[in-house]
Amino acid sequence: MKFSAPKGMQDILPPDIYIWQNVEEVARELFHKYGFQEIRVPIVESTDIFIRSIGETTDIVEKEMYTFTDKGGRSITLRPEGTAPVVRCYVEHNLYNLPSPQKFFYTGAMFRYERPQKGRFRQFYQIGAEAFGVSQPSLDAEIIVMLKNLLEKIGIAGLNFELNSIGCDKCRPDYKNALLKFFKSKLAIYCPDCQRRYRTNPLRILDCKVPGCVELRKGAPYVKDYLCNDCREHFNELIFSLKELKIPYTLNPNLVRGLDYYTRTTFEVTSEHLGAQKAVAAGGRYDRLVEEFGGPPTPAMGFAIGMERLATLLKEKSEQKIPSPKVFIATLGRDAEMEGFKIAESIRSSGCWIEPNYGGASLKSQMRKADRIGAEFVLIIGDNELKAGKVQWKNLKNSQQGEVEIKDIASIIQKLSDYIPK
Ligand code: HAM
């Protein structure tokens, strides 16, 4: 019987994993400079946390959550995203008592029971960042700049930053009413999902990808015309900062996002190279959520990057370097093998990837193996070498070879490494 990974879930293997590790390393280093500290939250939370934050009538909560009852009868959900758990953590640990802003980042698996397709998985990974305690649009700008810097640092440029403001509790009701009025006359010819959205969250109709609905919504009222003074000022200042910082962006009045917790700024970073699932990262403000979770009123803003989509872009962009061992130690006989292990240990401490021989094979087949695994350098130890206290070495890239005393190996590591093309 042969098993395969669950539908919509995948294994991340070498060499792809090196792309992921590099992104995570660069992100850690960069986020740190902006004051974002790593936190780890559980992979499951009480189901209510997601219902209360993402919204009862969203696709995620209605159709996509992996929810189960645990042995204690509690309803538990595999996290479909990271913002709600981070807010729960922020409030639970009274982190609002610490000096503002508090900034956090996280990496990890998220789960959504979606229809799998290119760039859309049921288990996927995000790197997310969330900042608490600043209402000024300078935070929005800083977070967007940080994301742009990260993408550039890992080698992705030319992505599209789409931007919108969806207002606040004060002005959004007026906008919703305007939309309801606009959609009402033709409601019967919208897709069934949009007919449902009309009742539950009419803003989401703006986000529908069904061609008929896209056509029908032409001429729908723009949210920017309904923003209250505070929201308009916030948005204008953000745009001003982005211009000052020379961050290109496009305004997308239909960017309403599929999660209900957003207020004011919403944004998405998209690529034309990804097909239908073109958002590499997305985020926005959620100024009400901390309060909703029982904390004091605390403005907040964040984003999350989809790792699979990012990895796809990086893979398309450049040929992947597949790491291989620097040194293979070929040994003949048990004593030589033991000596080989000792030598391997001393060389590893210099930071090289060393592969020893695990016994049995002829020298010829060991040399073939060294070549196949891409080793750059072979050390050869046999009975004669052991007696003489020496090791033969061969550089497989340029065929240089020679002999060195075993006792000198550690001290000449650096010299040996000189023969190893970096
Ligand atoms: P989101 O737009 O649902 O936002 O997801 C963020 C990113 O995760 C997407 O842009 C996409 O790259 C990736 N993603 C989402 N679903 C999938 C999937 N099924 N398969 C592969 N990749 C996927 C959030 O999750 C918010 N928590 C972002 C945020 C943080 N807002 C404020 N702070």
Side-chain angles (χ1 to χ4, degrees):
M1 169 111 184
K2 226 174 163 188
F3 293 108
S4 44
K7 189 173 174 192
M9 304 194 181
Q10 55 172 359
D11 304 307
I12 317 292
L13 305 174
D16 287 1
I17 195 72
Y18 293 106
I19 294 183
W20 290 55
Q21 286 176 347
N22 182 51
V23 171
E24 285 166 6
E25 268 167 41
V26 175
R28 273 201 173 86
E29 202 179 299
L30 183 82
F31 289 177
H32 188 70
K33 292 181 187 157
Y34 287 83
F36 284 77
Q37 303 183 79
E38 181 166 2
I39 55 169
R40 299 191 185 188
V41 289
I43 219 155
V44 293
E45 295 277 351
S46 300
T47 303
D48 276 351
I49 281 177
F50 299 113
I51 297 177
R52 288 282 288 274
S53 56
I54 298 171
E56 214 161 343
T57 58
T58 55
D59 285 354
I60 295 180
V61 169
E62 273 187 346
K63 308 183 209 161
E64 297 169 2
M65 297 211 300
Y66 281 86
T67 298
F68 61 96
T69 307
D70 75 5
K71 290 196 168 70
R74 305 168 195 90
S75 181
I76 297 286
T77 294
L78 286 180
R79 61 182 181 193
E81 59 104 51
T83 308
V86 171
V87 173
R88 191 269 308 140
C89 164
Y90 179 82
V91 175
E92 180 175 343
H93 299 280
N94 307 325
L95 300 180
Y96 42 78
N97 288 333
L98 298 173
S100 272
Q102 286 294 310
K103 301 173 177 175
F104 304 104
F105 77 90
Y106 50 90
T107 62
M110 310 291 157
F111 302 84
R112 296 183 194 174
Y113 195 83
E114 295 196 77
R115 194 169 45 77
Q117 63 178 86
K118 185 172 175 257
R120 191 160 74 186
F121 301 94
R122 289 182 175 172
Q123 175 175 331
F124 58 98
Y125 287 78
Q126 288 185 341
I127 297 185
E130 317 287 352
F132 297 88
V134 176
S135 60
Q136 281 78 3
S138 45
L139 176 76
D140 309 36
E142 186 183 64
I143 284 183
I144 291 173
V145 172
M146 179 172 89
L147 176 57
K148 180 164 188 285
N149 283 343
L150 172 60
L151 295 169
E152 278 179 6
K153 254 185 181 310
I154 57 176
I156 299 179
L159 295 180
N160 196 11
F161 279 71
E162 299 181 27
L163 202 62
N164 194 21
S165 171
I166 55 167
C168 65
D169 287 353
K170 238 186 337 177
C171 52
R172 206 177 311 151
D174 285 346
Y175 181 53
K176 269 191 186 166
N177 284 336
L179 284 178
L180 288 174
K181 228 181 189 169
F182 176 85
F183 294 134
K184 192 172 180 182
S185 60
K186 295 184 191 145
L187 189 60
I189 43 180
Y190 278 84
C191 74
D193 271 345
C194 280
Q195 293 186 17
R196 186 174 46 83
R197 287 171 187 143
Y198 181 85
R199 290 187 305 278
T200 56
N201 185 355
L203 261 75
R204 295 280 290 135
I205 300 179
L206 297 172
D207 201 27
C208 179
K209 306 284 182 297
V210 174
C213 298
V214 174
E215 195 54 37
L216 281 168
R217 68 169 179 250
K218 278 185 183 159
Y222 278 154
V223 63
K224 73 172 169 32
D225 298 328
Y226 289 82
L227 295 181
C228 60
N229 284 343
D230 288 349
C231 287
R232 186 173 313 117
E233 213 170 284
H234 185 99
F235 197 47
N236 287 344
E237 271 184 47
L238 169 59
I239 285 171
F240 175 78
S241 304
L242 294 180
K243 280 185 181 151
E244 285 289 300
L245 294 161
K246 303 206 173 359
I247 308 291
Y249 61 85
T250 28
L251 296 181
N252 177 356
N254 293 334
L255 187 62
V256 290
R257 312 273 298 119
L259 306 104
D260 279 356
Y261 51 62
Y262 289 110
T263 49
R264 295 191 169 166
T265 312
T266 54
F267 72 97
E268 265 182 19
V269 186
T270 56
S271 162
E272 296 315 316
H273 299 285
L274 286 173
Q277 303 304 317
K278 63 188 179 125
V280 181
R285 270 201 172 269
Y286 46 95
D287 291 344
R288 295 291 318 280
L289 198 51
V290 172
E291 210 179 343
E292 181 75 24
F293 275 21
T298 309
M301 156 105 187
F303 67 80
I305 303 171
M307 282 297 290
E308 288 76 7
R309 297 183 194 174
L310 200 60
T312 302
L313 289 177
L314 287 166
K315 253 164 91 174
E316 273 174 11
K317 217 186 105 284
S318 57
E319 217 172 275
Q320 259 177 286
K321 271 204 206 130
I322 302 175
S324 57
K326 286 283 181 203
V327 181
F328 180 78
I329 303 186
T331 51
L332 291 167
R334 288 196 59 142
D335 292 347
E337 197 180 314
M338 197 57 239
E339 192 60 36
F341 279 125
K342 286 191 213 158
I343 293 171
E345 279 310 302
S346 72
I347 305 180
R348 281 184 186 123
S349 63
S350 77
C352 280
W353 174 1
I354 311 284
E355 278 301 318
N357 169 44
Y358 294 100
S362 69
L363 182 60
K364 200 169 159 199
S365 80
Q366 289 186 56
M367 293 304 278
R368 261 206 311 268
K369 178 175 172 188
D371 200 41
R372 222 181 51 229
I373 63 176
E376 292 174 0
F377 205 81
V378 184
L379 297 181
I380 303 159
I381 316 171
D383 277 349
N384 292 343
E385 284 80 9
L386 264 189
K387 270 187 212 135
K390 288 183 177 164
V391 164
Q392 289 182 46
W393 58 264
K394 183 171 184 188
N395 183 327
L396 295 181
K397 302 290 171 207
N398 62 16
S399 296
Q400 277 181 314
Q401 48 191 355
E403 213 170 53
V404 11
E405 301 223 353
I406 291 177
K407 69 177 173 46
D408 290 336
I409 283 205
S411 61
I412 62 156
I413 286 303
Q414 200 48 51
K415 205 162 153 236
L416 286 175
S417 303
D418 290 344
Y419 291 104
I420 303 169
K422 289 266 173 340

